[in-house]
Short mmCIF file of all heavy atoms in Angstrom, two decimals:
data_model
loop_
_atom_site.label_atom_id
_atom_site.label_comp_id
_atom_site.label_asym_id
_atom_site.label_seq_id
_atom_site.Cartn_x
_atom_site.Cartn_y
_atom_site.Cartn_z
N MET P 191 0.86 -1.19 0.00
CA MET P 191 0.00 0.00 0.00
C MET P 191 0.89 1.24 0.00
O MET P 191 1.85 1.33 0.76
CB MET P 191 -0.89 -0.03 1.24
CG MET P 191 -1.74 1.19 1.42
SD MET P 191 -2.79 1.08 2.89
CE MET P 191 -3.77 2.51 2.67
N ARG P 192 0.56 2.17 -0.84
CA ARG P 192 1.30 3.43 -0.85
C ARG P 192 0.88 4.26 0.36
O ARG P 192 -0.17 4.03 0.96
CB ARG P 192 1.04 4.19 -2.14
CG ARG P 192 -0.37 4.72 -2.26
CD ARG P 192 -0.53 5.66 -3.45
NE ARG P 192 -1.89 6.09 -3.62
CZ ARG P 192 -2.54 6.94 -2.82
NH1 ARG P 192 -1.94 7.45 -1.78
NH2 ARG P 192 -3.79 7.28 -3.05
N LYS P 193 1.70 5.22 0.72
CA LYS P 193 1.41 6.06 1.88
C LYS P 193 0.17 6.91 1.61
O LYS P 193 0.10 7.62 0.60
CB LYS P 193 2.62 6.96 2.17
CG LYS P 193 2.42 7.85 3.37
CD LYS P 193 3.69 8.59 3.72
CE LYS P 193 3.91 9.74 2.77
NZ LYS P 193 5.01 10.62 3.21
N PRO P 194 -0.84 6.82 2.47
CA PRO P 194 -2.06 7.62 2.26
C PRO P 194 -1.83 9.09 2.61
O PRO P 194 -0.97 9.42 3.42
CB PRO P 194 -3.07 6.99 3.22
CG PRO P 194 -2.23 6.41 4.31
CD PRO P 194 -0.94 5.98 3.66
N THR P 195 -2.60 9.94 1.99
CA THR P 195 -2.55 11.36 2.34
C THR P 195 -3.38 11.57 3.61
O THR P 195 -4.19 10.72 3.99
CB THR P 195 -3.13 12.23 1.21
OG1 THR P 195 -4.53 11.95 1.10
CG2 THR P 195 -2.42 11.99 -0.10
N ILE P 196 -3.22 12.71 4.24
CA ILE P 196 -4.01 13.01 5.44
C ILE P 196 -5.50 13.10 5.07
O ILE P 196 -6.37 12.76 5.87
CB ILE P 196 -3.50 14.28 6.14
CG1 ILE P 196 -4.08 14.38 7.56
CG2 ILE P 196 -3.81 15.53 5.34
CD1 ILE P 196 -3.65 13.27 8.49
N TYR P 197 -5.80 13.50 3.85
CA TYR P 197 -7.19 13.58 3.40
C TYR P 197 -7.81 12.19 3.29
O TYR P 197 -8.97 11.99 3.65
CB TYR P 197 -7.28 14.32 2.06
CG TYR P 197 -6.73 15.73 2.15
CD1 TYR P 197 -5.43 16.01 1.77
CD2 TYR P 197 -7.51 16.77 2.65
CE1 TYR P 197 -4.91 17.30 1.88
CE2 TYR P 197 -7.01 18.06 2.77
CZ TYR P 197 -5.71 18.32 2.39
OH TYR P 197 -5.20 19.58 2.51
N GLU P 198 -7.02 11.22 2.81
CA GLU P 198 -7.51 9.84 2.75
C GLU P 198 -7.69 9.25 4.14
O GLU P 198 -8.68 8.57 4.42
CB GLU P 198 -6.53 8.97 1.94
CG GLU P 198 -6.51 9.32 0.47
CD GLU P 198 -5.37 8.69 -0.29
OE1 GLU P 198 -4.26 8.57 0.26
OE2 GLU P 198 -5.62 8.28 -1.44
N ILE P 199 -6.75 9.56 5.04
CA ILE P 199 -6.87 9.08 6.42
C ILE P 199 -8.11 9.67 7.08
O ILE P 199 -8.84 8.96 7.77
CB ILE P 199 -5.60 9.41 7.23
CG1 ILE P 199 -4.42 8.58 6.68
CG2 ILE P 199 -5.81 9.15 8.72
CD1 ILE P 199 -3.07 8.94 7.26
N LYS P 200 -8.37 10.93 6.85
CA LYS P 200 -9.59 11.55 7.40
C LYS P 200 -10.83 10.82 6.91
O LYS P 200 -11.72 10.49 7.71
CB LYS P 200 -9.67 13.03 6.99
CG LYS P 200 -10.94 13.70 7.47
CD LYS P 200 -11.06 15.13 6.98
CE LYS P 200 -12.38 15.71 7.43
NZ LYS P 200 -12.58 17.07 6.96
N ARG P 201 -10.88 10.53 5.64
CA ARG P 201 -12.04 9.83 5.07
C ARG P 201 -12.17 8.42 5.64
O ARG P 201 -13.27 7.99 6.00
CB ARG P 201 -11.91 9.79 3.54
CG ARG P 201 -13.07 9.12 2.84
CD ARG P 201 -12.90 9.08 1.33
NE ARG P 201 -11.64 8.55 0.86
CZ ARG P 201 -11.35 7.24 0.79
NH1 ARG P 201 -12.24 6.35 1.16
NH2 ARG P 201 -10.18 6.84 0.34
N LEU P 202 -11.07 7.71 5.75
CA LEU P 202 -11.10 6.33 6.22
C LEU P 202 -11.42 6.20 7.71
O LEU P 202 -11.91 5.17 8.16
CB LEU P 202 -9.76 5.65 5.92
CG LEU P 202 -9.46 5.40 4.44
CD1 LEU P 202 -8.01 5.00 4.24
CD2 LEU P 202 -10.41 4.35 3.88
N THR P 203 -11.13 7.23 8.50
CA THR P 203 -11.36 7.17 9.95
C THR P 203 -12.63 7.89 10.38
O THR P 203 -12.92 7.98 11.57
CB THR P 203 -10.17 7.77 10.72
OG1 THR P 203 -9.99 9.13 10.34
CG2 THR P 203 -8.90 6.98 10.47
N LYS P 204 -13.39 8.38 9.43
CA LYS P 204 -14.58 9.18 9.74
C LYS P 204 -15.58 8.45 10.64
O LYS P 204 -16.13 9.05 11.57
CB LYS P 204 -15.27 9.63 8.46
CG LYS P 204 -16.39 10.60 8.71
CD LYS P 204 -16.92 11.18 7.43
CE LYS P 204 -18.04 12.11 7.73
NZ LYS P 204 -17.83 13.44 7.25
N GLU P 205 -15.79 7.16 10.43
CA GLU P 205 -16.77 6.42 11.25
C GLU P 205 -16.24 6.11 12.65
O GLU P 205 -16.97 6.19 13.61
CB GLU P 205 -17.18 5.14 10.54
CG GLU P 205 -18.16 5.40 9.42
CD GLU P 205 -18.76 4.11 8.89
OE1 GLU P 205 -18.93 3.16 9.67
OE2 GLU P 205 -19.05 4.07 7.68
N LYS P 206 -14.98 5.73 12.74
CA LYS P 206 -14.42 5.31 14.03
C LYS P 206 -13.90 6.47 14.87
O LYS P 206 -13.82 6.36 16.08
CB LYS P 206 -13.31 4.29 13.81
CG LYS P 206 -13.86 2.98 13.27
CD LYS P 206 -12.80 1.92 13.26
CE LYS P 206 -13.40 0.60 12.85
NZ LYS P 206 -12.44 -0.49 13.00
N ALA P 207 -13.51 7.56 14.25
CA ALA P 207 -13.01 8.74 14.97
C ALA P 207 -13.61 10.00 14.34
O ALA P 207 -12.91 10.82 13.76
CB ALA P 207 -11.49 8.78 14.90
N PRO P 208 -14.94 10.16 14.47
CA PRO P 208 -15.62 11.24 13.75
C PRO P 208 -15.23 12.66 14.18
O PRO P 208 -15.40 13.59 13.41
CB PRO P 208 -17.10 10.98 14.03
CG PRO P 208 -17.11 10.21 15.30
CD PRO P 208 -15.85 9.39 15.29
N TYR P 209 -14.69 12.82 15.38
CA TYR P 209 -14.40 14.16 15.87
C TYR P 209 -12.94 14.56 15.72
O TYR P 209 -12.62 15.74 15.83
CB TYR P 209 -14.81 14.28 17.34
CG TYR P 209 -16.27 13.97 17.53
CD1 TYR P 209 -16.68 12.81 18.17
CD2 TYR P 209 -17.25 14.82 17.03
CE1 TYR P 209 -18.02 12.51 18.32
CE2 TYR P 209 -18.60 14.52 17.16
CZ TYR P 209 -18.97 13.36 17.81
OH TYR P 209 -20.30 13.06 17.95
N PHE P 210 -12.05 13.62 15.45
CA PHE P 210 -10.63 13.93 15.40
C PHE P 210 -10.32 14.98 14.34
O PHE P 210 -9.55 15.90 14.58
CB PHE P 210 -9.80 12.67 15.16
CG PHE P 210 -8.34 12.89 15.38
CD1 PHE P 210 -7.81 12.85 16.66
CD2 PHE P 210 -7.49 13.13 14.32
CE1 PHE P 210 -6.46 13.07 16.87
CE2 PHE P 210 -6.14 13.35 14.52
CZ PHE P 210 -5.62 13.31 15.80
N PHE P 211 -10.89 14.86 13.17
CA PHE P 211 -10.66 15.81 12.08
C PHE P 211 -11.86 16.72 11.82
O PHE P 211 -11.94 17.34 10.77
CB PHE P 211 -10.32 15.07 10.78
CG PHE P 211 -9.03 14.32 10.82
CD1 PHE P 211 -9.02 12.93 10.79
CD2 PHE P 211 -7.82 14.98 10.87
CE1 PHE P 211 -7.82 12.22 10.81
CE2 PHE P 211 -6.62 14.29 10.89
CZ PHE P 211 -6.62 12.91 10.85
N SER P 212 -12.77 16.82 12.78
CA SER P 212 -13.96 17.66 12.56
C SER P 212 -13.56 19.14 12.49
O SER P 212 -12.53 19.56 13.00
CB SER P 212 -14.98 17.46 13.68
OG SER P 212 -14.56 18.10 14.86
N LYS P 213 -14.40 19.90 11.86
CA LYS P 213 -14.16 21.34 11.70
C LYS P 213 -13.98 22.01 13.06
O LYS P 213 -13.06 22.81 13.24
CB LYS P 213 -15.33 21.96 10.93
CG LYS P 213 -15.13 23.36 10.49
CD LYS P 213 -16.30 23.82 9.64
CE LYS P 213 -16.04 25.18 9.06
NZ LYS P 213 -17.12 25.62 8.19
N ASN P 214 -14.84 21.67 14.02
CA ASN P 214 -14.75 22.29 15.34
C ASN P 214 -13.48 21.91 16.09
O ASN P 214 -12.86 22.75 16.75
CB ASN P 214 -15.98 21.94 16.19
CG ASN P 214 -17.23 22.63 15.71
OD1 ASN P 214 -17.16 23.67 15.06
ND2 ASN P 214 -18.38 22.06 16.00
N THR P 215 -13.09 20.65 16.00
CA THR P 215 -11.86 20.20 16.67
C THR P 215 -10.65 20.88 16.05
O THR P 215 -9.77 21.37 16.78
CB THR P 215 -11.71 18.67 16.55
OG1 THR P 215 -12.85 18.05 17.16
CG2 THR P 215 -10.45 18.18 17.23
N MET P 216 -10.60 20.92 14.73
CA MET P 216 -9.47 21.55 14.06
C MET P 216 -9.40 23.04 14.40
O MET P 216 -8.31 23.57 14.64
CB MET P 216 -9.59 21.35 12.54
CG MET P 216 -9.63 19.90 12.11
SD MET P 216 -8.10 19.04 12.33
CE MET P 216 -7.23 19.60 10.92
N LYS P 217 -10.54 23.69 14.48
CA LYS P 217 -10.57 25.10 14.83
C LYS P 217 -10.10 25.31 16.27
O LYS P 217 -9.33 26.23 16.56
CB LYS P 217 -11.99 25.65 14.64
CG LYS P 217 -12.09 27.14 14.85
CD LYS P 217 -13.49 27.63 14.56
CE LYS P 217 -13.58 29.12 14.77
NZ LYS P 217 -14.92 29.63 14.46
N PHE P 218 -10.54 24.45 17.19
CA PHE P 218 -10.15 24.54 18.60
C PHE P 218 -8.63 24.47 18.76
O PHE P 218 -8.04 25.21 19.54
CB PHE P 218 -10.83 23.44 19.41
CG PHE P 218 -10.45 23.44 20.87
CD1 PHE P 218 -11.06 24.31 21.75
CD2 PHE P 218 -9.47 22.58 21.34
CE1 PHE P 218 -10.71 24.33 23.09
CE2 PHE P 218 -9.11 22.59 22.68
CZ PHE P 218 -9.73 23.47 23.56
N PHE P 219 -8.00 23.56 18.02
CA PHE P 219 -6.55 23.39 18.10
C PHE P 219 -5.79 24.29 17.12
O PHE P 219 -4.57 24.21 17.01
CB PHE P 219 -6.17 21.93 17.86
CG PHE P 219 -6.53 21.04 19.00
CD1 PHE P 219 -7.61 20.18 18.91
CD2 PHE P 219 -5.80 21.05 20.18
CE1 PHE P 219 -7.96 19.35 19.96
CE2 PHE P 219 -6.13 20.23 21.24
CZ PHE P 219 -7.22 19.38 21.14
N ASN P 220 -6.52 25.16 16.44
CA ASN P 220 -5.93 26.10 15.47
C ASN P 220 -5.09 25.34 14.43
O ASN P 220 -3.93 25.67 14.20
CB ASN P 220 -5.10 27.15 16.19
CG ASN P 220 -4.81 28.34 15.31
OD1 ASN P 220 -5.57 28.63 14.39
ND2 ASN P 220 -3.71 29.02 15.57
N GLN P 221 -5.70 24.32 13.85
CA GLN P 221 -5.01 23.47 12.88
C GLN P 221 -5.82 23.36 11.59
O GLN P 221 -7.02 23.61 11.57
CB GLN P 221 -4.83 22.05 13.43
CG GLN P 221 -3.96 21.96 14.62
CD GLN P 221 -3.96 20.57 15.22
OE1 GLN P 221 -4.97 19.89 15.23
NE2 GLN P 221 -2.82 20.15 15.74
N THR P 222 -5.11 22.97 10.54
CA THR P 222 -5.74 22.59 9.29
C THR P 222 -5.17 21.22 8.91
O THR P 222 -4.16 20.77 9.49
CB THR P 222 -5.45 23.59 8.15
OG1 THR P 222 -4.05 23.53 7.84
CG2 THR P 222 -5.85 25.01 8.54
N LEU P 223 -5.75 20.57 7.96
CA LEU P 223 -5.23 19.27 7.53
C LEU P 223 -3.82 19.41 6.96
O LEU P 223 -3.01 18.48 7.07
CB LEU P 223 -6.16 18.63 6.50
CG LEU P 223 -7.47 18.09 7.06
CD1 LEU P 223 -8.35 17.57 5.94
CD2 LEU P 223 -7.22 17.00 8.08
N ARG P 224 -3.50 20.55 6.43
CA ARG P 224 -2.15 20.77 5.89
C ARG P 224 -1.08 20.77 6.97
O ARG P 224 0.10 20.61 6.68
CB ARG P 224 -2.10 22.09 5.12
CG ARG P 224 -2.87 22.04 3.84
CD ARG P 224 -2.72 23.33 3.10
NE ARG P 224 -3.53 23.30 1.90
CZ ARG P 224 -3.99 24.36 1.30
NH1 ARG P 224 -3.72 25.55 1.78
NH2 ARG P 224 -4.71 24.25 0.21
N ASP P 225 -1.49 20.98 8.22
CA ASP P 225 -0.52 20.96 9.33
C ASP P 225 -0.04 19.54 9.65
O ASP P 225 0.98 19.37 10.31
CB ASP P 225 -1.14 21.55 10.60
CG ASP P 225 -1.48 23.03 10.44
OD1 ASP P 225 -0.74 23.73 9.74
OD2 ASP P 225 -2.48 23.46 11.05
N PHE P 226 -0.78 18.52 9.22
CA PHE P 226 -0.45 17.14 9.56
C PHE P 226 0.57 16.56 8.60
O PHE P 226 0.51 16.77 7.40
CB PHE P 226 -1.72 16.27 9.53
CG PHE P 226 -2.59 16.47 10.73
CD1 PHE P 226 -3.53 17.49 10.75
CD2 PHE P 226 -2.48 15.65 11.84
CE1 PHE P 226 -4.34 17.69 11.85
CE2 PHE P 226 -3.29 15.84 12.95
CZ PHE P 226 -4.21 16.87 12.95
N LYS P 227 1.49 15.80 9.19
CA LYS P 227 2.48 15.06 8.42
C LYS P 227 2.20 13.57 8.57
O LYS P 227 1.81 13.12 9.64
CB LYS P 227 3.88 15.37 8.92
CG LYS P 227 4.28 16.82 8.69
CD LYS P 227 5.70 17.06 9.07
CE LYS P 227 6.20 18.46 8.85
NZ LYS P 227 5.33 19.51 8.56
N VAL P 228 2.37 12.82 7.50
CA VAL P 228 2.15 11.37 7.51
C VAL P 228 3.49 10.69 7.25
O VAL P 228 4.17 11.01 6.28
CB VAL P 228 1.12 10.96 6.43
CG1 VAL P 228 0.92 9.46 6.44
CG2 VAL P 228 -0.20 11.69 6.62
N GLU P 229 3.86 9.76 8.15
CA GLU P 229 5.11 9.02 8.00
C GLU P 229 4.81 7.53 8.01
O GLU P 229 4.05 7.05 8.85
CB GLU P 229 6.06 9.33 9.15
CG GLU P 229 6.47 10.77 9.27
CD GLU P 229 7.29 11.02 10.52
OE1 GLU P 229 8.24 10.24 10.77
OE2 GLU P 229 6.97 11.96 11.25
N SER P 230 5.46 6.78 7.13
CA SER P 230 5.33 5.32 7.11
C SER P 230 6.16 4.71 8.22
O SER P 230 7.28 5.16 8.48
CB SER P 230 5.83 4.76 5.78
OG SER P 230 5.09 5.27 4.71
N LEU P 231 5.61 3.70 8.88
CA LEU P 231 6.34 2.96 9.90
C LEU P 231 6.61 1.54 9.42
O LEU P 231 5.89 1.02 8.56
CB LEU P 231 5.54 2.93 11.21
CG LEU P 231 5.22 4.29 11.83
CD1 LEU P 231 4.35 4.10 13.06
CD2 LEU P 231 6.49 5.03 12.19
N LYS P 232 7.60 0.89 9.99
CA LYS P 232 7.98 -0.46 9.57
C LYS P 232 6.89 -1.49 9.86
O LYS P 232 6.82 -2.51 9.20
CB LYS P 232 9.28 -0.88 10.26
CG LYS P 232 10.48 -0.13 9.75
CD LYS P 232 11.74 -0.59 10.43
CE LYS P 232 12.92 0.20 9.92
NZ LYS P 232 14.16 -0.19 10.56
N ASN P 233 6.04 -1.23 10.85
CA ASN P 233 5.01 -2.20 11.22
C ASN P 233 3.74 -2.08 10.37
O ASN P 233 2.74 -2.72 10.66
CB ASN P 233 4.66 -2.09 12.70
CG ASN P 233 4.07 -0.74 13.08
OD1 ASN P 233 3.80 0.09 12.22
ND2 ASN P 233 3.88 -0.52 14.36
N GLY P 234 3.77 -1.25 9.33
CA GLY P 234 2.63 -1.13 8.43
C GLY P 234 1.67 -0.01 8.79
O GLY P 234 0.78 0.31 8.02
N ARG P 235 1.86 0.58 9.96
CA ARG P 235 1.01 1.72 10.35
C ARG P 235 1.64 3.01 9.84
O ARG P 235 2.75 3.02 9.33
CB ARG P 235 0.85 1.78 11.87
CG ARG P 235 0.15 0.60 12.44
CD ARG P 235 -0.15 0.73 13.93
NE ARG P 235 1.03 1.12 14.69
CZ ARG P 235 0.99 1.59 15.95
NH1 ARG P 235 -0.16 1.72 16.56
NH2 ARG P 235 2.08 1.93 16.58
N TYR P 236 0.90 4.10 10.03
CA TYR P 236 1.38 5.42 9.61
C TYR P 236 1.27 6.38 10.79
O TYR P 236 0.24 6.43 11.47
CB TYR P 236 0.56 5.95 8.43
CG TYR P 236 0.68 5.06 7.23
CD1 TYR P 236 -0.21 4.02 7.02
CD2 TYR P 236 1.71 5.24 6.33
CE1 TYR P 236 -0.08 3.18 5.93
CE2 TYR P 236 1.85 4.41 5.23
CZ TYR P 236 0.96 3.38 5.04
OH TYR P 236 1.10 2.55 3.97
N LYS P 237 2.34 7.10 11.04
CA LYS P 237 2.35 8.09 12.12
C LYS P 237 1.83 9.40 11.54
O LYS P 237 2.31 9.86 10.51
CB LYS P 237 3.77 8.28 12.63
CG LYS P 237 3.92 9.33 13.69
CD LYS P 237 5.38 9.46 14.10
CE LYS P 237 5.60 10.59 15.05
NZ LYS P 237 7.03 10.73 15.36
N ILE P 238 0.82 9.96 12.19
CA ILE P 238 0.33 11.28 11.77
C ILE P 238 0.59 12.24 12.93
O ILE P 238 0.36 11.91 14.09
CB ILE P 238 -1.16 11.28 11.36
CG1 ILE P 238 -2.06 10.85 12.50
CG2 ILE P 238 -1.37 10.39 10.15
CD1 ILE P 238 -3.52 11.08 12.20
N SER P 239 1.11 13.41 12.60
CA SER P 239 1.45 14.36 13.65
C SER P 239 1.23 15.78 13.17
O SER P 239 1.30 16.08 11.98
CB SER P 239 2.91 14.18 14.08
OG SER P 239 3.78 14.39 12.99
N ALA P 240 0.93 16.65 14.14
CA ALA P 240 0.76 18.07 13.86
C ALA P 240 1.04 18.83 15.14
O ALA P 240 0.77 18.34 16.24
CB ALA P 240 -0.65 18.37 13.37
N LYS P 241 1.59 20.00 15.00
CA LYS P 241 1.83 20.86 16.16
C LYS P 241 0.52 21.37 16.71
O LYS P 241 -0.40 21.70 15.98
CB LYS P 241 2.71 22.04 15.76
CG LYS P 241 4.06 21.96 16.39
CD LYS P 241 4.84 23.19 16.20
CE LYS P 241 5.75 23.22 17.39
NZ LYS P 241 6.59 24.29 17.53
N SER P 242 0.45 21.41 18.04
CA SER P 242 -0.74 21.93 18.72
C SER P 242 -0.24 22.79 19.88
O SER P 242 0.05 22.29 20.96
CB SER P 242 -1.58 20.76 19.24
OG SER P 242 -2.70 21.25 19.94
N GLY P 243 -0.10 24.08 19.61
CA GLY P 243 0.48 24.96 20.62
C GLY P 243 1.93 24.60 20.82
O GLY P 243 2.70 24.52 19.88
N ASN P 244 2.33 24.35 22.07
CA ASN P 244 3.71 23.95 22.37
C ASN P 244 3.89 22.44 22.29
O ASN P 244 4.99 21.94 22.52
CB ASN P 244 4.11 24.42 23.77
CG ASN P 244 4.21 25.93 23.84
OD1 ASN P 244 4.48 26.58 22.83
ND2 ASN P 244 3.98 26.49 25.00
N ASN P 245 2.84 21.72 22.03
CA ASN P 245 2.88 20.26 21.99
C ASN P 245 2.72 19.75 20.56
O ASN P 245 2.42 20.50 19.65
CB ASN P 245 1.76 19.67 22.85
CG ASN P 245 1.87 20.10 24.29
OD1 ASN P 245 2.94 20.10 24.85
ND2 ASN P 245 0.75 20.49 24.87
N LYS P 246 2.89 18.45 20.43
CA LYS P 246 2.67 17.81 19.15
C LYS P 246 1.57 16.78 19.31
O LYS P 246 1.58 16.00 20.25
CB LYS P 246 3.95 17.13 18.68
CG LYS P 246 4.12 17.15 17.20
CD LYS P 246 5.49 16.66 16.81
CE LYS P 246 5.73 17.05 15.38
NZ LYS P 246 6.95 16.52 14.87
N LYS P 247 0.58 16.83 18.45
CA LYS P 247 -0.51 15.86 18.47
C LYS P 247 -0.09 14.70 17.58
O LYS P 247 0.17 14.87 16.40
CB LYS P 247 -1.78 16.52 17.92
CG LYS P 247 -3.03 15.65 18.03
CD LYS P 247 -4.15 16.20 17.17
CE LYS P 247 -5.05 17.18 17.84
NZ LYS P 247 -6.22 17.53 17.04
N ILE P 248 0.03 13.49 18.18
CA ILE P 248 0.49 12.32 17.45
C ILE P 248 -0.51 11.18 17.57
O ILE P 248 -0.99 10.88 18.67
CB ILE P 248 1.86 11.84 17.97
CG1 ILE P 248 2.91 12.93 17.80
CG2 ILE P 248 2.30 10.56 17.26
CD1 ILE P 248 4.23 12.62 18.44
N ARG P 249 -0.82 10.56 16.45
CA ARG P 249 -1.65 9.37 16.42
C ARG P 249 -1.05 8.43 15.38
O ARG P 249 -0.23 8.83 14.55
CB ARG P 249 -3.10 9.69 16.02
CG ARG P 249 -3.89 10.51 17.02
CD ARG P 249 -4.15 9.70 18.29
NE ARG P 249 -4.98 10.41 19.23
CZ ARG P 249 -4.55 11.29 20.12
NH1 ARG P 249 -3.28 11.60 20.17
NH2 ARG P 249 -5.37 11.86 20.95
N PHE P 250 -1.49 7.19 15.41
CA PHE P 250 -1.01 6.19 14.47
C PHE P 250 -2.23 5.63 13.73
O PHE P 250 -3.18 5.18 14.36
CB PHE P 250 -0.25 5.09 15.20
CG PHE P 250 0.96 5.62 15.92
CD1 PHE P 250 0.87 6.05 17.23
CD2 PHE P 250 2.17 5.73 15.27
CE1 PHE P 250 1.97 6.57 17.89
CE2 PHE P 250 3.28 6.25 15.91
CZ PHE P 250 3.18 6.67 17.23
N PHE P 251 -2.17 5.68 12.42
CA PHE P 251 -3.25 5.18 11.59
C PHE P 251 -2.97 3.73 11.24
O PHE P 251 -1.91 3.39 10.71
CB PHE P 251 -3.39 6.02 10.32
CG PHE P 251 -4.34 5.43 9.32
CD1 PHE P 251 -5.69 5.33 9.62
CD2 PHE P 251 -3.90 4.99 8.09
CE1 PHE P 251 -6.59 4.78 8.71
CE2 PHE P 251 -4.78 4.45 7.17
CZ PHE P 251 -6.12 4.35 7.48
N ASN P 252 -3.92 2.86 11.54
CA ASN P 252 -3.84 1.44 11.20
C ASN P 252 -4.69 1.22 9.95
O ASN P 252 -5.93 1.29 10.02
CB ASN P 252 -4.35 0.59 12.37
CG ASN P 252 -4.22 -0.88 12.12
OD1 ASN P 252 -4.28 -1.35 10.99
ND2 ASN P 252 -4.03 -1.63 13.19
N PRO P 253 -4.08 0.95 8.79
CA PRO P 253 -4.84 0.81 7.55
C PRO P 253 -5.66 -0.48 7.46
O PRO P 253 -6.55 -0.57 6.62
CB PRO P 253 -3.77 0.85 6.46
CG PRO P 253 -2.54 0.35 7.14
CD PRO P 253 -2.64 0.82 8.57
N ILE P 254 -5.39 -1.43 8.34
CA ILE P 254 -6.16 -2.68 8.33
C ILE P 254 -7.51 -2.47 9.02
O ILE P 254 -8.55 -2.91 8.54
CB ILE P 254 -5.37 -3.82 9.00
CG1 ILE P 254 -4.12 -4.11 8.17
CG2 ILE P 254 -6.23 -5.07 9.18
CD1 ILE P 254 -3.13 -5.03 8.84
N THR P 255 -7.50 -1.74 10.15
CA THR P 255 -8.72 -1.53 10.92
C THR P 255 -9.32 -0.13 10.74
O THR P 255 -10.41 0.15 11.22
CB THR P 255 -8.45 -1.73 12.42
OG1 THR P 255 -7.48 -0.76 12.84
CG2 THR P 255 -7.96 -3.13 12.71
N ASN P 256 -8.58 0.76 10.07
CA ASN P 256 -8.97 2.17 9.91
C ASN P 256 -9.15 2.87 11.26
O ASN P 256 -9.99 3.75 11.41
CB ASN P 256 -10.23 2.32 9.06
CG ASN P 256 -9.97 1.99 7.61
OD1 ASN P 256 -8.84 2.01 7.15
ND2 ASN P 256 -11.02 1.68 6.89
N ASP P 257 -8.31 2.48 12.23
CA ASP P 257 -8.35 3.12 13.55
C ASP P 257 -7.24 4.14 13.68
O ASP P 257 -6.17 3.99 13.07
CB ASP P 257 -8.13 2.07 14.65
CG ASP P 257 -9.35 1.23 14.92
OD1 ASP P 257 -10.47 1.77 14.87
OD2 ASP P 257 -9.19 0.02 15.18
N LEU P 258 -7.49 5.16 14.49
CA LEU P 258 -6.44 6.07 14.94
C LEU P 258 -6.05 5.61 16.33
O LEU P 258 -6.88 5.63 17.24
CB LEU P 258 -6.95 7.51 14.98
CG LEU P 258 -7.14 8.19 13.64
CD1 LEU P 258 -7.69 9.60 13.84
CD2 LEU P 258 -5.84 8.26 12.86
N GLU P 259 -4.81 5.20 16.47
CA GLU P 259 -4.34 4.65 17.74
C GLU P 259 -3.41 5.65 18.41
O GLU P 259 -2.72 6.42 17.74
CB GLU P 259 -3.62 3.32 17.48
CG GLU P 259 -4.52 2.31 16.76
CD GLU P 259 -3.77 1.12 16.18
OE1 GLU P 259 -2.52 1.18 16.09
OE2 GLU P 259 -4.44 0.15 15.80
N ILE P 260 -3.37 5.60 19.74
CA ILE P 260 -2.51 6.52 20.48
C ILE P 260 -1.06 6.07 20.44
O ILE P 260 -0.16 6.86 20.29
CB ILE P 260 -3.02 6.70 21.92
CG1 ILE P 260 -4.36 7.40 21.88
CG2 ILE P 260 -2.03 7.47 22.77
CD1 ILE P 260 -5.05 7.57 23.20
N ASN P 261 -0.80 4.77 20.58
CA ASN P 261 0.59 4.29 20.45
C ASN P 261 0.63 2.88 19.94
O ASN P 261 -0.28 2.21 19.76
CB ASN P 261 1.37 4.40 21.74
CG ASN P 261 0.72 3.67 22.91
OD1 ASN P 261 -0.21 2.91 22.76
ND2 ASN P 261 1.23 3.95 24.08
#
């Protein structure tokens, strides 16, 4: 599988994590989808990250289950 874009990840996780990429959540954290970076991991998952104030918001996308996992 090729590396998905953040837009594809948003679409694939909409049912299981409907609020993570919602307009209100993104506005609250002062983020846009362009702020997110997607990195391939050796275990087949993808690390998605974006700056959120002084912190970094990190989740892991599992393409088999379409879940956003914390670690």
